[in-house]
Amino acid sequence: MKTTTRRNTDGTAVRYLHLAHNEWDPAAGRSVPKILHSFGREDHLDRPAVTRLVASLSKLLDPADVLTATAGSELAFIESRPYGGAYVLDALWRRLHLDTIVGRLLQGPRGRPRDLAAERVLFALVANRALAPSSKLAAADWVTHDVHIPGLPECTDDACYRAMDWLHQVTDTLEKEVFWSVANLLDLEVDLLFFDTTSTYFETGEPDDPVARDEHGHRDPDPQAVPVDDVRDVGFRTYGKSKDHRGDLPQVVIGMAVTRTGIPVRVWCWPGNTGDSKLIRQVKADMRDWTLARVIWVADRGFASETNRRYLRSGDHHYIIGEKLRSNSAEATAALSRQGRYQQVAHNLRVKEVRISDHERFVICHNPDGAERDAAIRTRLLAQLDELITGTDTLTATKRAELRGVISTKPGLNRYLRVTPGGLLRVDAKAIKTETNLDGKYLLRCSDPHLSAEDIAVGYKQLLEVERGWRDMKQVIDLRPVYHRLEERIRAHVTLCWLALLFVRIIETSTGATWPTIRADLQRLHVGTFTGPSGTFRRRTELTKPVRDLLAKLQLTAPKPIIELVTPAESGPQPSKDS
């Protein structure tokens, strides 16, 4: 900008404004200003016209360059928030079309959305479980102050609870649509479905009051319409056999079905005293509605009852189920007594199929490494037992009975204890021989006549994916303990944890890295907020190599440098395409 001064006839000075730049004059040997545009007298300046001109010229530049050029030294840095984790989760959320699915399911009367921000709040709750698990009250504060969630600048606890209530209403449909969306994205193989259960407890509150429920554990709004045999009066949060070793607290039972690659496809919730043997029938019936192709169910020993096996064989489905070696069942005894050679299928797995039934196949699996561990554990237990009972022959019968009672509370030691007819305590050599024969072994049942023994063994071994899912659900996603009291909120909380685990597994499967490592790298990508006289903008930090590599493996585009730009003339933020 160049200013020139001219004098009027009365001698007063008048300033004129010009847009100019210097050009080199070879003849004169110096720079000479060249007028590009004249704005006229300074006291008669058409400021709206200047504003329009600046706006037109700004379109030729990057928004950050505009603000940097116009803000000058008055540009202030306001805050910085983690952004990478939320960006990747949101990109996958949209790739799976969950924004469209959730938006459609949450429509109110006449197809109008119940709440324009409901879909964003649900995404924020899922992201919270994956990135910084916390209560719903803390999650609202986390969204508002501690993270940048695209499209959701702030959140309230009421919005979180309202979104959870809507989620509970649409869970059944949502699970099915999410499954098919994930199946199309990852080309899932669902020929094997692994199922297992766990429990989660509640730190506060007493068990729920009993209510009428159907055979699947769902609360019935009209108990009179349900046959008496199908009604169970039980509260949702109630005492049961705790898999968390917290039998002193009320709990609920949770089931999960997982594919062979570890992708969780569905979760279920039941009252806390529901036994494993009654659950798989509902699971099979629910999955039948998804019109899957031929499926082989893989389950642990808790589902090996005759009723469950017969139910799983219905239709074109089959099963692979573990059998308890120490159950003294006729099948287990007969299988272990059969001679034959093992087939090596892996460096730590040998299999041997035995024929003891016309409609079921039995496969004995042997893990040499596991056998060594079992032998080492038994050696330590026998040493402890021998130390406890040495010299007890000199004790009175009453004292020996007391010691025997103490040992009976320790299953590992009690397994090898023998009491003579005279009441003396001895190490049971026969039990040692029996246990030695079981070192590193487990027995499998299978109803499929076409699977090889190797496929049966490897398929069952993949049940560890469910165990890993439970471990991550509790330790990474923070499933437990639960502080909700209402049954609908508890079920919605479990659904949120399942969605978070689903995203975690998709990312791990695509990158080959563990989620804690991925999360740490992503959360180092921040977005900073700057403000000045020309407006406010948010800019991300530079991408690190780990983040660039992760985005490439996930086939995601990098976020744009400028995340959001707000000028004083605008009534609200204008997010960029990537936000």
Side-chain angles (χ1 to χ4, degrees):
M1 188 67 66
K2 180 178 179 58
T3 304
T4 59
T5 302
R6 297 178 184 177
R7 293 189 176 276
N8 293 330
T9 56
D10 58 358
T12 58
V14 179
R15 292 167 56 88
Y16 290 82
L17 298 177
H18 312 279
L19 182 64
H21 77 97
N22 293 330
E23 289 185 349
W24 180 257
D25 187 347
R30 59 184 176 88
S31 296
V32 177
K34 180 179 180 180
I35 304 298
L36 301 178
H37 178 74
S38 178
F39 295 100
R41 293 177 53 165
E42 184 178 28
D43 54 341
H44 294 165
L45 181 64
D46 187 353
R47 296 189 178 277
V50 175
T51 301
R52 291 191 297 271
L53 177 61
V54 171
S56 298
L57 294 175
S58 298
K59 295 178 181 179
L60 304 177
L61 303 176
D62 184 272
D65 295 334
V66 175
L67 285 176
T68 302
T70 57
S73 60
E74 298 182 22
L75 189 65
F77 174 66
I78 304 301
E79 64 177 6
S80 176
R81 297 187 183 186
Y83 176 57
Y87 172 79
V88 168
L89 292 173
D90 186 52
L92 291 177
W93 177 275
R94 297 178 187 277
R95 178 180 290 179
L96 293 174
H97 308 293
L98 283 179
D99 53 335
T100 304
I101 294 172
V102 172
R104 184 178 70 253
L105 293 177
L106 296 183
Q107 285 181 352
R110 300 180 181 178
R112 297 176 181 176
R114 300 174 185 267
D115 186 343
L116 293 176
E119 178 268 333
R120 289 286 82 194
V121 174
L122 282 178
F123 165 75
L125 292 176
V126 173
N128 176 255
R129 306 313 305 171
L131 299 173
S134 56
S135 68
K136 301 306 171 290
L137 297 177
D141 186 74
W142 176 75
V143 171
T144 304
H145 301 290
D146 300 328
V147 71
H148 179 76
I149 298 293
L152 188 67
E154 60 183 17
C155 185
T156 65
D157 54 330
D158 287 339
C160 291
Y161 286 121
R162 188 163 56 248
M164 290 182 69
D165 293 339
W166 292 336
L167 177 63
H168 172 68
Q169 297 173 15
V170 302
T171 293
D172 291 342
T173 307
L174 176 66
E175 286 178 330
K176 186 174 182 178
E177 295 208 24
V178 169
F179 170 77
W180 289 115
S181 184
V182 174
N184 292 332
L185 174 66
L186 302 181
D187 193 20
L188 288 185
E189 295 183 8
V190 290
D191 54 338
L192 290 181
L193 275 180
F194 303 87
F195 177 76
D196 198 8
T197 62
T198 189
S199 59
T200 188
Y201 56 86
F202 298 81
E203 289 280 9
T204 59
E206 296 297 324
D208 295 332
D209 294 331
V211 296
R213 297 181 180 276
D214 61 20
E215 60 181 350
H216 298 316
H218 293 293
R219 187 171 56 190
D220 195 275
D222 184 12
Q224 302 300 323
V226 182
V228 176
D229 293 340
D230 290 339
V231 174
R232 296 184 301 159
D233 291 332
V234 63
F236 192 58
R237 300 182 306 161
T238 189
Y239 295 112
K241 183 179 180 181
S242 175
K243 296 186 178 182
D244 293 316
H245 307 290
R246 294 304 304 266
D248 58 321
L249 297 174
Q251 66 174 22
V252 296
V253 175
I254 303 171
M256 180 165 59
V258 178
T259 68
R260 65 165 67 213
T261 56
I263 303 297
V265 297
R266 191 167 182 175
V267 290
W268 292 263
C269 290
W270 296 276
N273 62 351
T274 309
D276 281 354
S277 61
K278 299 180 181 179
L279 307 179
I280 202 165
R281 279 168 272 177
Q282 178 191 345
V283 174
K284 173 77 179 298
D286 289 347
M287 295 300 291
R288 185 191 299 120
D289 296 337
W290 289 18
T291 62
L292 298 176
R294 178 175 173 272
V295 172
I296 298 177
W297 289 89
V298 184
D300 211 341
R301 297 170 297 180
F303 305 99
S305 68
E306 172 61 28
T307 303
N308 284 337
R309 300 200 309 271
R310 184 171 57 252
Y311 191 82
L312 288 177
R313 283 198 305 266
S314 61
D316 194 25
H317 290 198
H318 291 281
Y319 60 77
I320 302 173
I321 298 181
E323 176 71 18
K324 295 181 180 179
L325 288 175
R326 297 180 179 85
S327 63
N328 295 322
S329 67
E331 292 92 345
T333 304
L336 292 173
S337 64
R338 295 296 175 89
Q339 300 297 318
R341 292 186 177 181
Y342 284 97
Q343 174 189 355
Q344 191 81 28
V345 298
H347 75 281
N348 63 343
L349 181 61
R350 303 191 302 161
V351 299
K352 177 177 64 176
E353 183 173 358
V354 294
R355 295 286 182 177
I356 58 176
S357 173
D358 294 332
H359 61 277
E360 284 185 309
R361 301 168 60 194
F362 289 81
V363 176
I364 301 176
C365 303
H366 179 252
N367 184 341
D369 296 338
E372 293 180 4
R373 288 193 298 270
D374 292 343
I377 293 173
R378 183 173 56 255
T379 300
R380 291 197 299 269
L381 291 175
L382 291 174
Q384 295 177 23
L385 180 61
D386 186 67
E387 182 180 355
L388 288 173
I389 66 177
T390 298
T392 56
D393 292 356
T394 61
L395 299 178
T396 64
T398 302
K399 291 295 184 179
R400 285 198 300 271
E402 291 178 356
L403 178 58
R404 179 186 176 187
V406 172
I407 296 176
S408 67
T409 63
K410 303 176 181 180
L413 298 178
N414 191 57
R415 181 181 302 165
Y416 303 105
L417 179 65
R418 180 175 64 88
V419 182
T420 68
L424 301 179
L425 305 181
R426 295 289 186 268
V427 175
D428 192 341
K430 184 178 179 181
I432 295 175
K433 182 178 179 181
T434 301
E435 289 297 318
T436 301
N437 187 45
L438 299 180
D439 285 351
K441 295 179 181 178
Y442 51 95
L443 179 63
L444 305 179
R445 291 176 180 262
C446 180
S447 63
D448 192 309
H450 304 294
L451 284 178
S452 66
E454 177 181 355
D455 289 339
I456 294 173
V458 173
Y460 183 80
K461 195 174 181 180
Q462 288 178 309
L463 192 60
L464 294 175
E465 290 293 340
V466 185
E467 298 295 336
R468 188 167 73 99
W470 288 134
R471 184 172 63 252
D472 287 353
M473 185 85 88
K474 293 178 178 180
Q475 297 178 0
V476 179
I477 309 300
D478 203 13
L479 172 69
R480 64 180 183 186
V482 185
Y483 295 94
H484 297 290
R485 296 177 179 271
L486 299 179
E487 179 175 337
E488 292 77 10
R489 299 270 173 82
I490 296 170
R491 293 181 181 273
H493 171 76
V494 173
T495 302
L496 289 173
C497 292
W498 161 68
L499 284 171
L501 181 63
L502 173 65
F503 281 101
V504 167
R505 284 290 180 268
I506 291 175
I507 294 174
E508 288 181 336
T509 301
S510 302
T511 61
T514 61
W515 176 244
T517 300
I518 296 171
R519 179 174 56 191
D521 289 334
L522 289 176
Q523 291 301 79
R524 295 188 179 102
L525 178 63
H526 279 228
V527 57
T529 303
F530 302 83
T531 187
S534 299
T536 300
F537 73 100
R538 292 185 172 89
R539 182 186 180 95
R540 64 160 172 81
T541 56
E542 293 301 316
L543 300 179
T544 62
K545 186 179 185 305
V547 172
R548 290 197 302 270
D549 293 342
L550 285 171
L551 294 176
K553 291 178 180 179
L554 293 171
Q555 299 181 358
L556 298 177
T557 59
K560 293 184 177 180
I562 301 300
I563 306 301
E564 193 174 69
L565 174 64
V566 182
T567 62
E570 294 173 330
S571 59
Q574 301 294 321
S576 59
K577 292 182 180 180
D578 64 305
S579 64

